[in-house]
Amino acid sequence: MHNMNETNMTSQSQLQFSEARMAEIRELLTHYPENQSRSALIPILHMAQSDFGGWLSVPVMDYVASVLNLLPIQVYEVASFYSMFNLKPVGNYLIEVCRTSSCWLCGAEDITAHLENKLGIKVGQTTADGLFTLKAVECLGSCGTAPMMQVGANYYENLTISKVDSILEELKKENKYSRYC
Amino acid sequence: MSAKILLALDHIEGIASLPVYAQHGGYAVLKKVLSDISPQQVVEEVKISGLRGRGGAGFPTGLKWSFLARPEGVPRYLVCNADESEPGTFKDRYLMERNPHLMIEGMIISSYGLGANTAYIYIRGEYFYIARILEKAIKEAYAAGYLGKNILNSGFDLDLHVHVGAGAYICGEETALLESLEGKRGNPRIKPPFPAVQGLYNCPTVVNNSETLAAVVPILDKGGAAYAAIGIGKSTGTKLISASGHINRPGVYEIELGIPVEEFIYSDEYCGGIRNGKKLKAVVAGGSSVPILPADLILKTAEGAPRLMSYESLAEGGFQTGTMMGSGGFIVMDEDTSIVKNLYTFARFYHHESCGQCSPCREGTGWMERILHKILDGHGSITDIDLLWDIQKNIDGKTICPLGEAAAWPVASAIRHFRSEFEEYVLNPHLIEDVKHYYRLQTT
């Protein structure tokens, strides 16, 4: 967990979107009527999660509330509703293996079991080096290319055991935080 | 028109870029519509086409459009439902990824017909990379003058934006989608009022599926009557089918509505038969929500007529012996498939995705998941099967939105057609191999 905490603490101690991000947000707000800036909440939560360590801590959510001039509760209730928002720290790479029907039919459970063995963790856990978190998720719309997993913004499809191994090797080599938006 | 209408260009290199799309006739229909056709005629052509909502409900699109309230001085919105989350469905993803301009052109024509000056594409958050593809295509369309102010000197203005969700099946339900687009939890609204009267920001709104909006282009190109001539009966036109599971050729196929199910499963043009020479056991024909059918009933109706890929034929026999077209998520299972385990993945899905607003759904979905888990864990009893039946019955029709039915129907149909398999699990728990380990770790 060492690396992960370090990453999270550094990024969370500077709770301020970059100037480029703020410009992106100003542009985003033009998509909605003037009195409806709350519409930008979900896109901005994605940006916050991406910029501040891969999860949404209470201070991060409070910061987003201040950016949009919302009550903190309006942010919490949304962040807790959607499954892509992590309310707890996750590893640098969040590996999400689809487990719903078509993927299950095509061997998703073997992929999950292999990942568990290979990473030495169970579903829902993070590796000790803070690099990987393993999650089982519901249908990601990749049923024709099952089994599949998503890491950050990337879809990895038609998985086999050896394909999973080479993906893990590649990610380890990169060893950087996978900003997804 | 051939059966390839929406996917006619998907094999062309670079079709996602505007210049290539334009080389192949892209935006010609928009130009024709804006110069020659009135907004009322656009709605009329879509009515004549018989186009039905491709997201799952199959409601006539032209009729839905005709409900749109048009009070003076109030903005109207068009929202594209690209939240595609129904297990077994991946056609919108394919369409948007391969040929984003087709859907965008369809949205511009539709917005013109509806008198909407702002439109949104609400896309599921996991499809981030497709959101990027759409944003790029939209930028190109603005630069070419197909979006923005006074499009092609017609006096018509339209702004189009991509809006990403964040992982919630329920946001495919149109009122939940609108809540989400307003920056709230995706809790479905009570209808009426319908979105056509009070939708986004309380303004009149039409919400249509991606495939539905893409189909507007060929309809306005060749005319509603030409589109209606394709297909069979009230199932007009073509439909994208997402084929997955134990088949030789999984993928997205565009079919003329009305081809035999048997042809779709066994023809090398489509699924190419069952993998590894196995036999067909069951099919979920329209996404996880629709009733599962055993091989004999999916290939032929109870009366022995060949079952066709059409809204009517798939539904023939009602829930006793039929199913539904739904979203066209066609999941095929071979002879070795455990129907009980497959149902468990559905039950777990619906429990995870229930928004929690209505107690029959909130409590019932979790309860069904737990019972199925218990059965798979070798601790079930015969009364559990009856209890499952009872719970699904008490969810069906008792919730604000259709997620309740979506969760109930798979359970009802699996028990209806495969009860003996449930009994086998309950009576011979020692036969259950290896499920305990796996299902423990997969339970949330």
Side-chain angles (χ1 to χ4, degrees):
Chain A
M1 301 294 276
H2 192 68
N3 279 354
M4 189 177 71
N5 285 339
E6 237 170 53
T7 319
N8 288 329
M9 272 154 70
T10 351
S11 40
Q12 297 208 358
S13 63
Q14 314 154 342
L15 275 186
Q16 183 72 47
F17 281 126
S18 67
E19 195 32 57
R21 205 49 126 177
M22 285 309 293
E24 210 182 314
I25 290 172
R26 281 191 293 274
E27 196 281 328
L28 175 70
L29 287 169
T30 66
H31 297 187
Y32 313 103
E34 249 167 58
N35 55 346
Q36 300 291 350
S37 57
R38 188 176 174 183
S39 274
L41 176 56
I42 289 173
I44 293 177
L45 281 173
H46 276 302
M47 296 175 191
Q49 180 161 279
S50 199
D51 291 357
F52 303 127
W55 68 291
L56 298 171
S57 65
V58 170
V60 166
M61 291 189 279
D62 290 347
Y63 172 63
V64 169
S66 74
V67 168
L68 274 175
N69 210 6
L70 294 173
L71 297 170
I73 182 65
Q74 294 177 307
V75 179
Y76 305 159
E77 65 174 9
V78 164
S80 61
F81 185 84
Y82 296 91
S83 59
M84 286 179 78
F85 294 134
N86 305 311
L87 300 183
K88 286 181 186 151
V90 294
N92 290 0
Y93 294 112
L94 177 58
I95 300 180
E96 300 177 293
V97 187
C98 174
R99 65 181 183 182
T100 322
S101 176
S102 302
C103 274
W104 168 73
L105 290 169
C106 294
E109 58 187 39
D110 295 338
I111 299 296
T112 306
H114 181 70
L115 279 163
E116 287 189 325
N117 284 337
K118 195 86 183 177
L119 299 173
I121 51 172
K122 294 280 168 203
V123 167
Q125 295 178 336
T126 301
T127 53
D129 59 5
L131 205 50
F132 297 106
T133 296
L134 183 60
K135 218 174 141 185
V137 296
E138 301 300 348
C139 186
L140 293 178
S142 191
C143 325
T145 41
M148 71 81 67
M149 63 186 193
Q150 182 165 27
V151 184
N154 299 323
Y155 272 42
Y156 295 94
E157 303 175 277
N158 293 310
L159 292 178
T160 58
I161 300 291
S162 63
K163 206 165 164 183
V164 169
D165 285 344
S166 57
I167 294 165
L168 286 182
E169 282 313 308
E170 221 171 276
L171 294 176
K172 270 185 202 156
K173 238 183 270 162
E174 282 179 30
N175 188 12
K176 62 176 185 214
Y177 171 64
S178 56
R179 233 185 79 159
Y180 70 98
C181 86
Chain B
M1 284 198 266
S2 80
K4 286 239 174 186
I5 297 174
L6 299 180
L7 302 186
L9 303 177
D10 73 306
H11 60 283
I12 291 167
E13 180 91 24
I15 195 68
S17 79
L18 193 143
V20 179
Y21 180 67
Q23 267 169 35
H24 290 85
Y27 291 105
V29 183
L30 174 68
K31 286 175 190 161
K32 183 184 83 174
V33 167
L34 290 184
S35 66
D36 306 343
I37 297 180
S38 72
Q40 293 74 18
Q41 274 174 284
V42 170
V43 177
E44 199 49 40
E45 287 301 326
V46 172
K47 264 193 196 166
I48 292 168
S49 75
L51 176 66
R52 295 165 69 168
R54 300 298 193 218
F59 191 80
T61 306
L63 191 59
K64 188 173 189 177
W65 286 12
S66 69
F67 294 151
L68 186 67
R70 294 168 181 261
E72 207 53 45
V74 178
R76 297 188 280 276
Y77 294 100
L78 172 67
V79 179
C80 170
N81 183 346
D83 193 54
E84 185 167 67
S85 309
E86 174 88 0
T89 316
F90 46 98
K91 64 183 177 77
D92 296 336
R93 172 188 170 198
Y94 184 87
L95 186 68
M96 295 185 289
E97 188 177 343
R98 295 296 173 106
N99 192 356
H101 281 289
L102 180 69
M103 188 184 89
I104 291 169
E105 184 176 2
M107 286 191 74
I108 303 170
I109 296 169
S110 304
S111 300
Y112 169 73
L114 297 166
N117 299 117
T118 309
Y120 296 97
I121 301 170
Y122 182 101
I123 187 164
R124 66 179 296 181
E126 294 89 345
Y127 285 178
F128 254 117
Y129 78 98
I130 304 173
R132 294 291 104 91
I133 293 171
L134 290 168
E135 280 164 358
K136 190 166 163 260
I138 287 171
K139 222 171 162 185
E140 289 178 315
Y142 268 104
Y146 301 141
L147 281 169
K149 296 263 174 242
N150 190 22
I151 297 169
L152 302 170
N153 289 318
S154 63
F156 171 61
D157 305 336
L158 178 65
D159 282 311
L160 175 57
H161 306 292
V162 178
H163 184 101
V164 289
Y169 168 72
I170 191 60
C171 292
E173 194 280 334
E174 60 179 11
T175 61
L177 184 154
L178 295 174
E179 287 287 300
S180 182
L181 185 45
E182 290 179 2
K184 301 171 194 160
R185 295 166 73 90
N187 289 343
R189 300 174 181 170
I190 292 173
K191 299 195 260 194
F194 287 89
V197 178
Q198 272 180 45
L200 185 61
Y201 312 130
N202 275 328
C203 298
T205 304
V206 166
V207 183
N208 284 139
N209 168 260
S210 313
E211 182 188 348
T212 311
L213 290 166
V216 169
V217 180
I219 289 170
L220 268 297
D221 181 16
K222 301 271 166 50
Y227 187 87
I230 307 168
I232 183 166
K234 285 186 175 167
S235 296
T236 62
T238 64
K239 171 93 189 82
L240 298 182
I241 306 291
S242 319
S244 69
H246 297 142
I247 47 175
N248 284 317
R249 288 164 42 84
V252 176
Y253 297 104
E254 181 168 18
I255 59 155
E256 175 169 1
L257 286 164
I259 67 166
V261 171
E262 189 163 6
E263 181 187 341
F264 185 70
I265 296 176
Y266 292 102
S267 158
D268 285 338
E269 201 183 329
Y270 306 112
C271 302
I274 312 302
R275 258 178 13 187
N276 304 321
K278 298 270 184 192
K279 286 199 195 93
L280 174 67
K281 179 171 184 175
V283 171
V284 174
S288 56
S289 313
V290 310
I292 190 172
L293 286 183
D296 55 337
L297 282 176
I298 188 69
L299 297 174
K300 287 194 163 66
T301 65
E303 279 73 46
R307 181 89 68 183
L308 308 178
M309 299 286 281
S310 73
Y311 291 93
E312 292 73 25
S313 181
L314 285 169
E316 202 174 315
F319 279 4
Q320 288 309 309
T321 58
T323 180
M324 290 163 84
M325 169 66 85
S327 63
F330 198 88
I331 309 172
V332 179
M333 296 165 206
D334 73 16
E335 56 190 302
D336 297 336
T337 307
S338 163
I339 299 298
V340 183
K341 275 203 238 175
N342 182 68
L343 179 63
Y344 174 67
T345 77
F346 285 156
R348 184 177 54 190
F349 172 84
Y350 287 109
H351 178 211
H352 186 263
E353 301 302 336
S354 172
C355 83
Q357 228 183 170
C358 313
S359 35
C361 174
R362 181 184 63 237
E363 305 303 326
T365 51
W367 198 2
M368 294 193 299
E369 183 198 344
R370 286 193 299 277
I371 292 171
L372 283 161
H373 181 265
K374 188 176 143 196
I375 293 174
L376 284 165
D377 212 20
H379 297 101
S381 64
I382 288 287
T383 53
D384 283 329
I385 306 171
D386 299 325
L387 184 57
L388 273 176
W389 184 265
D390 201 38
I391 297 168
Q392 65 80 19
K393 237 180 125 180
N394 281 293
I395 299 175
D396 193 352
K398 295 181 177 65
T399 54
I400 289 174
C401 88
L403 194 142
E405 282 86 69
W409 295 344
V411 174
S413 56
I415 296 176
R416 181 178 295 122
H417 298 299
F418 295 96
R419 189 180 171 103
S420 61
E421 200 172 312
F422 287 80
E423 288 170 354
E424 183 87 355
Y425 272 84
V426 164
L427 298 174
N428 304 296
H430 60 281
L431 293 177
I432 303 171
E433 26 81 45
D434 201 31
V435 290
K436 293 184 187 174
H437 161 73
Y438 177 69
Y439 283 97
R440 196 155 40 239
L441 70 87
Q442 292 282 288
T443 310
T444 46

